[in-house]
Amino acid sequence: MNQDRARRQLALIAESLGAARDNGIPLWLRGGWAMDFFLGEVTRDHGDIDWFAWAQDAAALAGVLTRLGHTPVPGPPAGLQLDFEKGGLESSFTLVDRDAEGRVTVAGGPWAGTPWPDGLLGAEPGRIGALEAPIVDPRVQIEIKRMMPVWDPSRPRRAKDAEDIARLEAALRLR
């Protein structure tokens, strides 16, 4: 595992969370970092830092990150996701919204309005050392990792997803 990269990513997580909090912008870690914060330790290398953010906060979030030295990276439709790079580290902010029933939904792109699994943003914060971060519910994380190749066949199942699912399930059994 690349300890220096993990240390720099943790510092970027702390910086992003602090700046977002200072500006009233809620964020939730998703993906591998959400798993590690749930488990309380860094378990593997992470290619990027994945987040959820409210679509209504996208412009303010982009402004905050730009002021911190993040550079926007072109990619998915702006209404679906915001991607940034800072110091060679990537952060992706998937945007969410709410529908008329109050369910958390995909904010933009071809799946706009599609509900995410119930309880997505309802987990207790996770922690690695002294750093606490809002995270996606681990049960929902498992569902997303299992279902993503079904929901979007262009995204095949990855070995790291199977390993993450096994780690999360083992930790949930112990709690």
Side-chain angles (χ1 to χ4, degrees):
M1 181 180 336
N2 184 330
Q3 298 290 339
D4 179 62
R5 182 176 174 84
R7 179 189 53 73
R8 291 185 317 116
Q9 286 177 316
L10 285 166
L12 191 59
I13 290 168
E15 177 188 69
S16 299
L17 279 173
R21 254 188 232 122
D22 289 349
N23 286 276
I25 302 169
L27 298 175
W28 294 264
L29 283 169
R30 63 182 182 90
W33 277 112
M35 176 191 69
D36 282 1
F37 270 77
F38 175 70
L39 297 174
E41 64 181 329
V42 180
T43 62
R44 62 172 171 84
D45 285 322
H46 298 279
D48 61 3
I49 303 165
D50 295 314
W51 301 90
F52 278 119
W54 293 113
Q56 68 192 25
D57 295 329
L61 176 61
V64 166
L65 294 172
T66 300
R67 286 190 296 279
L68 289 173
H70 295 246
T71 303
V73 176
L80 175 63
Q81 184 168 302
L82 301 174
D83 292 341
F84 290 89
E85 182 276 331
K86 182 177 181 182
L89 302 176
E90 295 178 21
S91 297
S92 288
F93 297 82
T94 295
L95 302 175
V96 294
D97 206 349
R98 286 201 188 271
D99 64 14
E101 288 80 43
R103 296 175 297 188
V104 178
T105 62
V106 176
W111 300 282
T114 303
W116 283 99
D118 288 340
L120 178 75
L121 307 178
E124 293 292 319
R127 177 181 295 280
I128 293 179
L131 181 56
E132 184 177 276
I135 61 171
V136 169
D137 185 284
R139 289 164 192 82
V140 175
Q141 181 82 2
I142 291 168
E143 182 177 354
I144 291 169
K145 285 184 174 282
R146 279 200 176 119
M147 294 303 297
M148 192 54 71
V150 175
W151 296 334
D152 182 357
S154 71
R155 298 181 65 179
R157 196 167 312 281
R158 303 171 300 182
K160 71 176 182 176
D161 292 328
E163 293 164 5
D164 289 354
I165 289 168
R167 282 186 183 110
L168 287 168
E169 287 178 333
L172 286 166
R173 280 193 297 275
L174 294 174
R175 290 187 181 208

